[in-house]
Structure formats: structure tokens, C-alpha cells
Amino acid sequence: MVSSVSWVRGKCVGKGAFGVVNVAVSKRDNRVFAVKSVDCGRGLSGQVEALENEIGILKRVTSPHVVAYIGDDVTCEGTASFRNLHLEYMPGGTVADLDRADVDERLVRRYAWCLATALRDVHAQGFVHCDVKGRNVLLSGDGEMAKLADFGAAVEIESSPAMLLFPRGSPMWMAPEVVRRERQGPESDVWSLGCTVIEIAIGKPAWEDRGVDTLSRIGYSDELPEFPIQLSELGKDFLEKCLRREPSERWSCDQLLQHPYLLPYYALVE
Ligand code: ADP
Ligand code: MG
Ligand code: MG
């Protein structure tokens, strides 16, 4: 464990090219939170920039279904210096790591509702997430609450023309217009939401990975990912509204929250 100014770094809960995510404890009040860190010396400049981008955006986004920003700082640990983002700790892992045996349609619906709520708020507050996928959806300890995380690729809606040159996100979840580098807006997040709901239901990405061929199928064919056979007709109808190839025909998150697949939850909580 490494001691920092006001908190102690605990066990690692996520690792990637970007750096690490650890559990941390505040020395002041023993509060537990998560810390996403990039080594300023060793990380590529793009990684520090992505974390700065994420910090700037998460500070401004509020939603009960977005992992909450708690703070940020820079720490010196040994000879290294880290840029850190403090986040609400989600102990339940990601929806990509769920045991399939535990996932029934009630949970699929519930997580779909959590994500549609998160994206409705993110879009209403002026941002596009750009990287919606199972690994970026975190769960509460009891597994009932899902929250959207990883705003490293997120952008303000106004800056979307700048995105044409650089599609953001993860290929298998990308909307056709993003693959074609035409545009990346709130509608593109809705496509990724559809892919993520399929991923939750079947326990693997919606598209089978065939390398470059997958991208050409997503961007330039009439194909759609297969809708899971185990889902109800209502569930498949919901997916059909998310996975329309023409972005202007896709439902918005506001509309999706009124879809009968999600409406029971919507009516209950809001
Ligand atoms: P990256 O930008 O490298 O993908 P993420 O923000 O997605 O980084 O975090 C990487 C992993 O760390 C996540 O997939 C998850 O397993 C874990 N993680 C991230 N944030 C939290 C958190 N707030 N609580 C618990 N685990 C987290
Ligand atoms: Mg991630
Ligand atoms: Mg990221």
C-alpha cells in the first residue's frame, strides 16, 4: 500500500494501458472510494489527456446512474507522480464479468433502464459518452444498480464536427455512422446501448469479432447484430429501436424510457 497526502491506496480493481484503478481509503474519515490513476511520467501523453478530459466532464455530469466524481489530485508516490481521479467505488464489478447463470431478463431490463437513464442525463447535460460497453458499466454490491463509467472518450455535443477525423470508442460497439466517420452524436451512444444490452443478455459482445471484416459489416452492410433468442418480443422491440442503422430514425433516450420494456422502472422511480 502506498501512502498519499490524504488517502491510502488499496487493492487494484482495474488495470489497462491507461494506468490503474484502485480502492482507496480517506485518512480523514475512512471513506472508501475508487482512484483511477495515470503515471504522468510513464503514461503516454494521450492517457493523461484522456484522464483530464474525463475529470473535466465528470465534474459537470450528474446522474444517479453515472459513477459519481468525488475529487481529483496529483500524488507523488516514490519517484513517480500520478494524476488521480477519485470516484464513487462500485464493488459489484462490470456487467461484462457477470456470471451468465445469474442474468435473467429482469436484470437485462433493469440494467437497460439504468443505462438509458444515465445516457438521457449525459445527453441532456450536453455530452456524448462515446464508449458505452459492458466493461464501462459498473455494478453496486448487490448487483441491482448499474452505473455508467469511463468518460475518457466523452465529448461535448457541440464539438462533434471535430470527431469525424477520430472516431472514439470501442469498435464492436460503434454505430455505423461512427465507423464511416460521418458523425458521432447522442444517437451513436444509443446504438452502443443496444449492443451493450445484447452483450448483457448473451455474455459476449453483440458482434462476433472478425477483425476488419466486423467493422465493414457494422459500417457498410445491412446487417444487424443478432437479437438474443431468450429475450421477450418486447425486449427485441426495444433493441430494434436502438439498433436502427439510420441515426435519425433511432429512438432518443427520452423515448426509450417511455418504451414498455423500460416504463415499469421509469414509473416506479421518477
Ligand atoms: P479505461 O479508460 O482504461 O477503460 P475505466 O474507467 O473503464 O478505465 O476503468 C477500468 C476498469 O476499472 C473498469 O472496467 C472496472 O473494472 C474498474 N473500475 C473503474 N472505475 C471503478 C469504480 N468506480 N469502482 C470499481 N471499479 C472500477
Ligand atoms: Mg473502460
Ligand atoms: Mg476509457
Side-chain angles (χ1 to χ4, degrees):
M1 286 219 258
V2 176
S3 187
S4 304
V5 184
S6 60
W7 50 275
V8 176
R9 196 184 284 280
K11 71 166 181 181
C12 175
V13 290
K15 212 169 197 160
F18 66 93
V20 285
V21 179
N22 294 90
V23 184
V25 184
S26 159
K27 285 181 187 169
R28 203 175 332 117
D29 53 11
N30 286 331
R31 201 150 65 116
V32 172
F33 53 97
V35 177
K36 183 172 178 178
S37 305
V38 175
D39 182 333
C40 297
R42 288 203 319 191
L44 302 170
S45 66
Q47 294 159 352
V48 180
E49 274 162 30
L51 192 64
E52 294 293 353
N53 180 59
E54 180 165 19
I55 291 169
I57 290 178
L58 270 182
K59 266 183 177 172
R60 291 148 69 195
V61 169
T62 51
S63 168
H65 294 286
V66 168
V67 171
Y69 164 90
I70 293 176
D72 62 278
D73 62 8
V74 177
T75 50
C76 294
E77 299 172 26
T79 53
S81 100
F82 289 90
R83 184 74 174 108
N84 309 299
L85 164 59
H86 304 194
L87 296 163
E88 162 187 18
Y89 174 52
M90 299 294 288
T94 83
V95 296
D97 303 315
L98 282 171
D99 185 342
R100 229 30 46 196
D102 299 335
V103 181
D104 56 9
E105 191 161 9
R106 184 194 71 85
L107 265 194
V108 174
R109 265 176 109 159
R110 182 157 181 91
Y111 296 156
W113 171 77
C114 292
L115 289 177
T117 307
L119 286 174
R120 189 243 353 239
D121 295 341
V122 168
H123 297 161
Q125 289 162 30
F127 301 98
V128 187
H129 183 278
C130 299
D131 200 11
V132 178
K133 60 173 179 179
R135 293 227 168 279
N136 291 336
V137 180
L138 308 182
L139 297 171
S140 59
D142 67 2
E144 286 295 317
M145 172 76 109
K147 298 197 183 194
L148 185 59
D150 195 357
F151 281 64
V155 287
E156 286 190 54
I157 288 173
E158 277 85 81
S159 66
S160 45
M163 287 189 279
L164 299 181
L165 280 177
F166 308 104
R168 291 164 168 263
S170 308
M172 308 274 273
W173 290 262
M174 268 180 199
E177 70 275 11
V178 179
V179 171
R180 294 195 303 267
R181 302 186 178 199
E182 290 167 4
R183 47 184 278 121
Q184 186 159 18
E187 317 81 32
S188 321
D189 279 347
V190 169
W191 175 282
S192 307
L193 167 65
C195 292
T196 305
V197 171
I198 294 179
E199 180 189 2
I200 293 168
I202 66 176
K204 55 184 188 189
W207 294 96
E208 199 190 324
D209 190 358
R210 295 197 213 150
V212 181
D213 184 44
T214 313
L215 276 186
S216 68
R217 283 164 73 206
I218 299 172
Y220 302 95
S221 78
D222 294 331
E223 265 183 85
L224 290 178
E226 226 172 279
F227 293 2
I229 41 164
Q230 68 269 38
L231 287 193
S232 59
E233 287 311 308
L234 210 51
K236 289 177 188 145
D237 188 75
F238 174 82
L239 288 175
E240 188 274 323
K241 306 294 189 269
C242 298
L243 294 167
R244 291 184 172 171
R245 286 194 153 267
E246 170 55 44
S248 64
E249 288 172 10
R250 245 168 259 155
W251 279 25
S252 68
C253 289
D254 273 321
Q255 289 174 305
L256 290 173
L257 287 167
Q258 301 290 334
H259 189 282
Y261 201 53
L262 304 190
L263 195 59
Y265 290 106
Y266 193 46
L268 207 62
V269 181
E270 299 188 298

